Amino acid sequence: MNPTEKPVPVIPSASEYILDNFEPTDRIAMLVLNRDFGETIQRITSAEKAASPEFQAWLRYKNANGSDIYIGMNPLRKDAPTRTKEDIQSIRHVYLDLDHGGAEALQSVENSGAVPKPNYVLNSSPEKHQVVWKVEGMNLEEAEGLLHAMAREFGGDPAATDATRVLRVPGFANKKYDTDFYVEAHRESAETYHLRDFKLHIDPQDSPRHNYYRRPKPSSSPQATLSQSEHDWAFAKRALARGEAPEDVIRQIADYRAADKHNPVDYARRTVTKAQSEFGANNRGKEEIILRGDE
């Protein structure tokens, strides 16, 4: 090869992508989401089975009939029934969702000395990219701190800073558009990285959602125990108070509740609408007190 020529990136199939990112016996979450029908199916299975011809044929059938296909990027415990932070067995990947800036945003990541060469770059939709690094030796708190730091540094989607986040699978069509856009992954590195390879400032408080999805502590008072829906509502109020965009909050809640809600987007939208109403009422009350004080 001519020294001036760049190596041609490897473009894997969906099965190759799964088996390159996970051990065959790893338990992973595959998410099938049909927004038109409000259908969400989550399958927790081994990476080997997810990559099998039979499973891939089922995914292709669902994709052809309007469903988007996603994969959780961190393996789950052997007995995990769901995809929560408590269910994560180990941190295997960190990632960046570039929703804005297109090729220029991607180039800033690849030319940066702050992060190593990514393992995979996915073209997830027109002018949008998902960037994936294989990692080891990180705990959940370190990984989520790094996810937030990278999103802040490169203008990534702040909703994609959760260790339970699902990303798109190459080889399947993105169904969000009038015309199907087929997701393609380019393998750029075979390295596995450590926290020290990322030269970014990670603030311990960088993750405003750090404590949100943790299991509530046991309480001696039954009345003090909140349901998951109440936790969702409380999170929505805190996020709105911090100034996060309602659509971002809706997406965060919908992603987290995808496994146990028939229509997670509708549920998340109703939760955020309720939180907005109370948040707005509280703010109006404060404004009235201020105005009365000025009189």
Side-chain angles (χ1 to χ4, degrees):
M1 182 177 69
N2 190 309
T4 61
E5 293 179 356
K6 290 185 178 181
V8 177
V10 176
I11 302 176
S13 67
S15 294
E16 290 170 336
Y17 180 76
I18 292 170
L19 292 177
D20 187 46
N21 281 292
F22 298 96
E23 296 296 327
T25 57
D26 281 341
R27 281 170 57 80
I28 60 174
M30 301 296 299
L31 192 69
V32 178
L33 177 62
N34 191 309
R35 292 175 177 82
D36 292 335
F37 298 151
E39 178 187 62
T40 302
I41 303 172
Q42 180 167 264
R43 293 283 185 266
I44 296 177
T45 186
S46 69
E48 185 175 38
K49 183 174 180 180
S52 70
E54 297 80 11
F55 199 94
Q56 288 293 308
W58 175 70
L59 292 178
R60 287 195 299 272
Y61 169 79
K62 299 298 289 187
N63 188 228
N65 285 276
S67 295
D68 284 296
I69 310 300
Y70 301 92
I71 184 171
M73 296 306 294
N74 290 306
L76 305 173
R77 297 193 333 261
K78 298 300 181 185
D79 59 343
T82 58
R83 191 187 83 251
T84 68
K85 291 188 182 184
E86 288 82 6
D87 292 320
I88 291 177
Q89 182 182 59
S90 62
I91 297 297
R92 203 72 64 80
H93 298 92
V94 293
Y95 31 81
L96 186 62
D97 197 338
L98 298 173
D99 269 355
H100 306 286
E104 186 175 321
L106 179 60
Q107 189 174 26
S108 70
V109 174
E110 296 191 320
N111 292 342
S112 173
V115 295
K117 189 178 186 65
N119 295 93
Y120 282 98
V121 173
L122 282 74
N123 297 334
S124 55
S125 56
E127 289 299 299
K128 296 183 180 182
H129 306 278
Q130 293 177 340
V131 189
V132 178
W133 291 265
K134 294 182 183 180
V135 298
E136 63 182 8
M138 287 188 202
N139 61 35
L140 187 144
E141 183 174 355
E142 290 169 336
E144 293 198 335
L146 178 57
L147 290 172
H148 278 273
M150 290 198 297
R152 184 186 61 239
E153 177 75 13
F154 299 109
D157 183 355
T161 51
D162 193 303
T164 61
R165 181 74 173 183
V166 292
L167 300 184
R168 290 190 177 272
V169 182
F172 293 97
N174 183 333
K175 293 292 186 175
K176 281 188 175 181
Y177 303 94
D178 293 336
T179 302
D180 286 352
F181 181 94
Y182 281 86
V183 179
E184 190 174 84
H186 298 263
R187 191 174 72 189
E188 300 194 354
S189 171
E191 297 294 322
T192 299
Y193 300 107
H194 300 81
L195 186 60
R196 63 178 177 269
D197 297 315
F198 296 83
K199 313 300 183 184
L200 293 169
H201 172 69
I202 301 175
D203 187 336
Q205 303 302 316
D206 204 21
S207 173
R209 302 193 301 129
H210 177 68
N211 294 316
Y212 167 54
Y213 287 128
R214 295 195 181 278
R215 193 169 293 161
K217 294 180 180 179
S219 170
S220 58
S221 170
Q223 294 179 342
T225 302
L226 298 179
S227 68
Q228 184 59 55
S229 294
E230 289 170 319
H231 278 289
D232 294 337
W233 183 42
F235 164 69
K237 289 194 293 182
R238 293 197 302 271
L240 293 170
R242 287 194 299 269
E244 293 191 31
E247 287 299 321
D248 287 341
V249 182
I250 289 169
R251 179 164 45 183
Q252 292 170 35
I253 295 174
D255 284 345
Y256 186 74
R257 299 303 298 274
D260 54 2
K261 290 292 180 184
H262 175 67
N263 188 337
V265 175
D266 178 68
Y267 165 79
R269 192 171 297 283
R270 286 186 283 108
T271 299
V272 171
T273 299
K274 180 182 176 183
Q276 282 180 299
S277 298
E278 178 160 322
F279 181 62
N282 288 342
N283 280 349
R284 286 193 296 274
K286 290 176 183 177
E287 290 170 0
E288 288 172 1
I289 292 171
I290 293 170
L291 287 172
R292 284 198 299 270
D294 288 341
E295 289 176 351

